[in-house]
């Protein structure tokens, strides 16, 4: 390790430093002098985005092959930082309203983000596991941040128990990979597997346990049960963050695992992904219909979105479509902003004292709050996949990739579930515009610059990704095609990188 | 020298005892302990792999140190949340977690 290595971690170090500063200044602040704290968290994230983008072409491995800086990592780091920024902007008003405006919250969001940035850049099992746990442990606390609210604590406990159970399975899968190959570097493991060092039976066990762990982490069926409870019970801005960011990081990890290590095992994971994807879409779409609580509805809707993403991953196992993985990357970006935006509107509506997140309570809100209703309509249309929003193009590319890999029937199933899902998104719009409110709507108390900025950013991203998908899509393509696929012979591991081994074309 | 299989059998047995405990126990503290048991089962497997692996020896032990540290952090957070739950409800069962349905 030398100074050169530390330079590679500047964005992460900035975030950690900002988090420590936030924790240190908290006791010094007067009780009502905490407004504006979020900018202490947002500013380092913006700087980190700039630094990450600046160093995007310095492709190399750092810390003896623990992390890599390639376009894939850069794409996900910037996406995760953007998600963290929007999440922090959405939070301040809500925390203040519940008298829990503490800088710990922002520090936890930053720690979670650092954990996820380590996950997407990790190319070593140990490093990945540390990043995963940093993300998971911080997010358990975020879910239980309203610790005097029994629902929040219940959400936190459920998240903790299911999450640590899932981590155990991921660790088991990684231990089996290490046991069969004697390496912890993704590339070295991939080379050992390609050389036929690993017994088939152990590989089946490793793939199945890893898949179970990942399915838990992204809330895919049959391991989805925790998600609705956790998102409903968590503080709403935390739910916005938790329903998006960890999924992005875990999907990035899944793609890295499948590309670097398990590309030969596609006969094991591809059929499993198909089964999980269909089950996930089925549960997400059908259960969302019967929900009357908007947070639970969004939770099941996010389960359905995970199903579409898994569909594309399954298709990857059957044929290498040139834009298959890029479609997943683009979908994650679109999903991030539309889902956070929808939760953000709920945060805004929660300023009303009688708002209990039920569908009834959004009846007729367009008369009193036309802007709020309008922006919610945008997010709902995008989640439903209606042009010209981001959701439409994301779904279009995703299903096109599935069709191109020769699984047209699977794409048809996906589109059918997507049609079903339109019902519960459009229902929200119908309630907002065509129902009469049961009580007189009060004025939403106070305006918040932060909340406005967060919602504005999310809406802007949804519109921009829908109308100009080009730049992000190009970056997603670069991320996949310029993925670092192994060290050169003189570099860290003894394995000589076979040219083109385990590379997506 | 004890063959690798013996260590792996011990690890498997511990893993399943822990897994059974997680699913069967209703007390949060006991569930956390069972998760720790599963982690330690994996630790045994990792150390055994490391000792018997022709190359990459020592990596497993390093991995185990990280797992130790993370497991400790995990327990700290789990117990903190459990205490918060106890303060609110004076009970520590997972059956108490039924505020949200649907």
């Amino acid at each position: 390790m030398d100074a050169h290595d530390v330079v590679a971690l500047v964005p992460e170090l900035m975030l950690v430093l900002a988090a420590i500063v936030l924790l240190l200044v908290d006791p010094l602040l007067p009780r009502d002098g905490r407004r504006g704290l979020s900018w202490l968290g947002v500013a380092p994230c913006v700087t980190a985005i700039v630094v990450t983008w600046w160093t995007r072409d310095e492709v190399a491995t750092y810390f003896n092959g623990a992390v890599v800086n390639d376009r894939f990592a850069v794409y996900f780091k910037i996406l995760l930082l953007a998600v963290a920024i929007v999440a922090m902007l959405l939070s301040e008003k809500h925390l203040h309203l519940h008298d829990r405006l503490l800088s710990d919250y922002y520090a936890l969001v930053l720690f979670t983000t650092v954990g996820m940035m380590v996950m997407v850049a990790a190319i070593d099992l140990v490093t990945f596991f540390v990043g995963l746990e940093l993300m998971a442990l911080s997010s358990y606390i975020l879910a239980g941040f309203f610790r005097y609210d029994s629902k929040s604590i219940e959400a936190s406990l459920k998240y903790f128990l299911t999450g640590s159970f899932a981590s155990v399975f991921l660790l088991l899968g990684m231990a089996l990979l290490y046991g069969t190959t004697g390496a912890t570097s993704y590339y070295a493991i991939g080379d050992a597997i390609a050389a036929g060092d690993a017994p088939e039976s152990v590989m089946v066990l490793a793939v199945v346990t890893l898949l179970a762990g990942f399915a838990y982490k992204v809330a895919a069926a049959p391991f989805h049960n925790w998600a609705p409870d956790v998102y409903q019970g968590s503080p709403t801005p935390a739910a916005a963050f938790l329903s998006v960011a960890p999924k992005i990081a875990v999907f990035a990890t899944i793609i890295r695992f499948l590309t670097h290590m398990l590309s030969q095992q596609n006969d094991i994971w591809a059929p499993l992904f198909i089964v999980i994807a269909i089950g996930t879409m089925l549960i997400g779409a059908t259960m969302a219909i019967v929900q009357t609580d908007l947070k639970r509805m969004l939770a099941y809707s996010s389960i359905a979105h995970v199903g579409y993403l898994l569909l594309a991953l399954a298709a990857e196992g059957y044929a290498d479509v040139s834009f298959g993985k890029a479609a997943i990357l683009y979908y994650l970006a679109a999903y991030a902003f539309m889902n956070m935006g929808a939760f953000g509107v709920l945060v805004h509506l929660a300023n009303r004292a009688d708002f209990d997140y039920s569908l009834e309570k959004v009846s007729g809100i367009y008369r009193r709050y036309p802007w709020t209703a309008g922006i919610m309509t945008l997010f709902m249309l995008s989640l439903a996949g209606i042009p010209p929003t981001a959701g439409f193009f994301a779904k279009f590319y995703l299903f096109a990739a599935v069709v191109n890999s020769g699984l047209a029937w699977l794409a048809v199933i996906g589109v059918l579930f997507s049609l079903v899902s339109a019902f519960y998104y459009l229902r929200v719009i119908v309630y907002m515009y065509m129902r009469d409110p049961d009580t007189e709507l009060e004025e939403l108390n106070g305006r918040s610059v932060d909340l406005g900025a967060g919602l504005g950013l999310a809406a802007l991203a949804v519109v921009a990704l829908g109308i100009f998908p080009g730049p992000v899509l190009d970056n997603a393509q670069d991320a996949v095609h310029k993925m670092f696929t192994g060290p050169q012979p003189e570099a860290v591991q003894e394995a000589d990188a076979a040219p083109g081994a385990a590379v997506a074309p | 020298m004890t063959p690798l299989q013996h260590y792996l059998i011990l690890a498997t047995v511990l893993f399943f005892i822990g897994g059974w405990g997680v699913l069967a126990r209703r007390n949060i503290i006991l569930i956390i302990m069972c998760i720790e048991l599963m982690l330690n089962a994996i630790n045994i497997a990792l150390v055994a792999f490391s000792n018997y692996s022709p190359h990459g020896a020592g990596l497993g032990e390093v991995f185990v140190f990280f797992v130790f540290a993370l497991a400790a952090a995990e327990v700290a957070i789990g117990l903190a949340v459990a205490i918060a739950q106890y303060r609110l409800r004076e009970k520590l069962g997972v059956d108490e977690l039924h505020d949200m349905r649907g």
Side-chain angles (χ1 to χ4, degrees), chain A residues 124-126 129-130 133-134 137-138 140-141 146-158 160-161 163-165 167-169 171-172 174-176 178-185 192 197 228-230 232-234 287 290-291 296 300 494, chain B residues 15 18-19 22-23 28 31-32 35 38-39 42-43 45-47 49-51 53-63 66-67 70-71 73-75 77-82 84-89 92-94 96-102:
Chain A
D124 187 282
L125 294 178
V126 182
F129 191 64
V130 174
E133 287 295 284
L134 179 55
L137 296 178
S138 315
Y140 304 148
I141 313 176
F146 290 170
R147 65 186 168 104
Y148 303 113
D149 174 7
S150 64
K151 277 188 180 172
S152 182
I153 286 297
E154 180 178 334
S156 181
L157 261 181
K158 281 181 176 164
F160 170 78
L161 293 173
S164 22
F165 199 50
S167 296
V168 170
F169 279 95
L171 187 63
L172 176 64
M174 292 191 277
L176 290 171
Y178 168 69
T180 48
T181 60
T184 57
S185 153
D197 288 358
D229 289 355
V230 170
Q232 187 190 353
S234 307
M287 292 300 286
V290 299
Q291 300 304 323
R296 278 190 96 78
Y300 280 108
E494 78 270 46
Chain B
F15 189 86
V22 171
L23 299 174
I28 290 161
I31 294 177
I32 294 175
I35 289 175
M38 294 172 86
L39 285 174
I42 298 172
N43 284 345
L46 277 171
V47 173
F49 282 140
S50 182
N51 261 308
S53 162
H55 40 262
L59 279 173
E61 278 98 339
V62 175
F63 207 153
F66 280 95
V67 176
L70 294 169
E74 200 168 77
V75 170
I77 284 168
L79 290 181
V81 182
Q85 151 92 355
Y86 187 80
R87 283 202 181 140
L88 288 174
R89 301 190 195 231
L92 264 183
V94 278
E96 308 299 317
L97 303 177
H98 51 54
D99 263 13
M100 291 170 284
R101 280 283 151 89

Side-chain angles (χ1 to χ4, degrees), chain A residues 10-327:
Chain A
V10 163
E12 286 86 346
L13 289 176
M14 281 195 310
L15 261 59
V16 171
L17 196 67
I20 293 171
V21 169
L22 275 165
L23 290 174
L24 286 177
V25 298
D26 188 65
L28 307 175
L29 294 173
R31 192 155 177 74
D32 52 352
R34 290 206 173 90
R35 308 301 296 271
L37 259 183
S38 62
W39 298 99
L40 267 180
V42 169
C45 283
V46 174
T47 327
I49 287 183
V50 174
V51 174
T52 310
W53 181 248
W54 195 266
T55 57
R56 67 186 182 280
D57 285 322
E58 289 177 21
V59 179
T61 62
Y62 297 93
F63 296 100
N64 273 334
V67 290
V68 69
N69 186 47
D70 59 359
R71 289 300 289 267
F72 187 79
V74 168
Y75 179 91
F76 276 104
K77 279 183 186 177
I78 291 181
L79 178 57
L80 290 166
L81 286 165
V83 165
I85 289 172
V86 175
M88 284 189 278
L89 289 175
L90 292 177
S91 305
E92 187 177 80
K93 190 75 198 298
H94 197 71
L95 299 178
H96 185 69
L97 206 65
H98 288 256
D99 206 20
R100 290 286 288 157
L101 182 53
L102 304 168
S103 53
D104 320 17
Y105 182 88
Y106 300 108
L108 285 168
V109 172
L110 291 178
F111 282 135
T112 315
T113 312
V114 171
M116 294 186 297
M117 287 166 76
V118 171
M119 277 170 78
V120 300
I123 46 167
D124 187 282
L125 294 178
V126 182
T127 314
F128 160 68
F129 191 64
V130 174
L132 174 85
E133 287 295 284
L134 179 55
M135 172 200 85
L137 296 178
S138 315
S139 48
Y140 304 148
I141 313 176
L142 275 180
F145 200 74
F146 290 170
R147 65 186 168 104
Y148 303 113
D149 174 7
S150 64
K151 277 188 180 172
S152 182
I153 286 297
E154 180 178 334
S156 181
L157 261 181
K158 281 181 176 164
Y159 201 13
F160 170 78
L161 293 173
T162 53
S164 22
F165 199 50
S167 296
V168 170
F169 279 95
L170 280 177
L171 187 63
L172 176 64
M174 292 191 277
L176 290 171
L177 283 181
Y178 168 69
T180 48
T181 60
T184 57
S185 153
Y186 291 5
Y187 306 129
I189 291 175
D191 289 339
I193 292 174
D197 288 358
E200 181 69 16
S201 56
V202 184
M203 283 312 294
V204 173
L205 191 58
V207 169
V208 170
T209 47
L210 281 174
L211 239 55
F214 284 132
Y216 251 118
K217 290 281 179 193
V218 297
F223 309 115
H224 63 280
N225 269 326
W226 57 270
D229 289 355
V230 170
Y231 301 160
Q232 187 190 353
S234 307
T236 316
F241 184 59
L242 297 178
S243 66
V244 167
K247 286 181 187 169
I248 296 175
V250 172
F251 267 105
T253 312
I254 297 177
I255 294 178
R256 266 206 202 280
F257 269 52
L258 297 186
T259 313
H260 297 323
M261 292 190 268
L262 305 171
S263 53
Q264 316 285 316
Q265 271 66 39
N266 56 357
D267 54 329
I268 310 171
W269 53 259
L272 277 174
F273 269 136
I274 289 189
V275 175
I276 297 177
I278 293 177
T280 309
M281 289 189 295
L282 180 70
I283 286 181
T286 51
M287 292 300 286
I289 290 176
V290 299
Q291 300 304 323
T292 52
D293 183 290
L294 285 170
K295 275 163 100 177
R296 278 190 96 78
M297 190 276 273
L298 283 176
Y300 280 108
S301 111
S302 76
I303 292 175
H305 283 281
V306 166
Y308 308 139
L309 285 160
L310 291 172
L311 211 61
L313 274 180
E316 280 294 300
Y318 288 98
D320 255 329
V321 185
S322 63
F323 61 96
K325 285 185 190 122

